[in-house]
Amino acid sequence: STGQKALYILAPIVAIGILLYLLRIFTRIIPRRKMNSSDYMSTFAVLAATITYILLAKAVSHGLGRHSIYITPENKIRILQYLYGVLIVGLLTSVFSRISVACLLLELQSSKMWKAVLWVTIAFQIVSLISTLPLEVSQCRPIRAYWEPVAGRKCISPAVMWTLGYVS
């Protein structure tokens, strides 16, 4: 299935990312015994990315990537539940990664203007997360309407959600 192929492609990327992260943390802790804000942000990002991969793997195990005629209605609901988790945790992965890079760049010797731009970038990421996360979580009311038919459900237009995704 295409879901399994996606996991085969992503697995080495996730593994290399975790390996590089562990190497980075090792070099921070062993010689200096000191971690900074970029290390903590990358820790959150790697943790969130790992959870995202696990959720995606669970969705694939329930049939994601297979033709819909081969997926039971119960598994379709499960897949959408896992993809809902991927959506939420993936958002955290993205934001923590960008903040980690900005914090790392702040450590470099650079002009006050460059540091101001980085701080504005960090602030924008935080504001973006604070404004986007509640909308993502409450995209449909009740929340279970995201993955199963519910009478009287109310969902935010996909076009609005896509626009928010591009802005953040």
Side-chain angles (χ1 to χ4, degrees):
S1 83
T2 56
Q4 289 175 333
K5 289 177 185 174
L7 289 179
Y8 294 147
I9 293 168
L10 290 174
I13 295 169
V14 171
I16 290 169
I18 291 172
L19 182 64
L20 290 174
Y21 162 77
L22 291 173
L23 186 61
R24 173 184 173 170
I25 296 303
F26 178 78
T27 60
R28 297 287 187 149
I29 292 175
I30 296 302
R32 296 180 10 206
R33 295 179 195 240
K34 184 178 180 186
M35 289 177 51
N36 59 26
S37 57
S38 69
D39 298 321
Y40 292 115
M41 289 295 113
S42 65
T43 299
F44 293 136
V46 167
L47 181 61
T50 304
I51 292 169
T52 300
Y53 182 81
I54 291 168
L55 290 171
L56 183 62
K58 292 295 285 180
V60 168
S61 75
H62 283 85
L64 179 67
R66 297 185 71 209
H67 195 284
S68 63
I69 61 172
Y70 300 114
I71 303 172
T72 65
E74 296 82 20
N75 278 344
K76 287 179 184 177
I77 290 172
R78 278 283 180 216
I79 289 168
L80 289 173
Q81 288 172 333
Y82 288 123
L83 291 180
Y84 181 76
V86 166
L87 176 76
I88 301 303
V89 181
L91 178 63
L92 298 174
T93 302
S94 176
V95 169
F96 288 137
S97 297
R98 288 187 290 245
I99 292 174
S100 174
V101 170
C103 289
L104 187 61
L105 291 173
L106 279 170
E107 293 178 29
L108 303 176
Q109 295 295 330
S110 56
S111 68
K112 289 182 180 182
M113 181 62 158
W114 177 247
K115 289 188 179 202
V117 167
L118 289 171
W119 279 112
V120 168
T121 301
I122 291 169
F124 177 77
Q125 291 303 311
I126 293 168
V127 169
S128 171
L129 179 64
I130 291 169
S131 62
T132 305
L133 190 59
L135 286 173
E136 291 287 355
V137 170
S138 64
Q139 180 178 354
C140 288
R141 285 174 298 207
I143 291 175
R144 66 185 170 88
Y146 184 84
W147 54 80
E148 64 186 43
V150 175
R153 77 182 202 167
K154 295 184 179 174
C155 295
I156 299 172
S157 159
V160 170
M161 298 308 293
W162 293 331
T163 303
L164 283 172
Y166 288 125
V167 169
S168 65

